[in-house]
Amino acid sequence: RDAWELALVRAALAARLPLLGICRGMQLLNVALGGTLTQHIDGHAEVVGVFGRHPVKPVPGTRYAALVPEETSVPTYHHQAVDRLGTGLIPCAHAADGTVEAIELPGAGTWALGVQWHPEMGEDVRVMRALTEAAAAARPTSARTA
């Protein structure tokens, strides 16, 4: 699974396709670019099999902060986290304990964001909307008219 998913992340980056890594997907984005993970942290999965919530604070000046400028509560369930960032990645949100909760790959022509939480399980659609807008903008002109 790791080999296949890492190849998929690398192929999406090489093709400059918009990429949103959710939870394990964020961790894979980090590892694909040479980063490392902390194998276990406490406090980010409250009850086994149940999503918890905790606040994340955006880093000013990042793509994520442009989408979500305020601290917000997010649905979360994870026990691993980013340790050393992969090449080119920057942190764009943190939990109160300092855990990196979102990463991005800045640069022209690239839309790559990873979030440690599960936006699909919450009410805030800004991250998902940004992905769909980036994907729509990335479609070739011929695909838009078909």
Side-chain angles (χ1 to χ4, degrees):
R1 177 178 174 187
D2 286 341
W4 184 84
E5 290 177 353
L6 286 167
L8 188 61
V9 168
R10 289 181 181 118
L13 292 173
R16 294 184 175 221
L17 294 172
L19 175 65
L20 173 61
I22 295 174
C23 196
R24 176 181 158 84
M26 176 183 132
Q27 296 166 6
L28 285 164
L29 173 61
N30 189 58
V31 170
L33 293 173
T36 61
L37 301 176
T38 297
Q39 293 302 307
H40 183 76
I41 59 170
D42 290 319
H44 291 255
E46 297 170 10
V47 178
V48 175
V50 177
F51 284 93
R53 294 191 76 85
H54 67 75
V56 297
K57 185 174 183 179
V59 174
T62 61
R63 175 180 289 124
Y64 176 71
L67 299 172
V68 183
E70 75 281 358
E71 181 175 286
T72 187
S73 179
V74 297
T76 185
Y77 185 79
H78 64 96
H79 72 95
Q80 293 181 312
V82 166
D83 181 23
R84 185 177 45 80
L85 285 168
T87 302
L89 291 168
I90 61 169
C92 52
H94 294 93
D97 67 2
T99 300
V100 174
E101 288 283 333
I103 58 177
E104 62 188 57
L105 186 59
T110 303
W111 196 100
L113 175 66
V115 296
Q116 189 59 71
W117 64 90
H118 288 265
E120 77 282 7
M121 299 302 291
E123 305 79 34
D124 189 339
V125 299
R126 292 177 285 185
V127 168
M128 301 304 275
R129 181 182 305 128
L131 171 65
T132 58
E133 289 171 356
R139 288 176 47 200
T141 304
S142 60
R144 288 186 212 146
T145 58

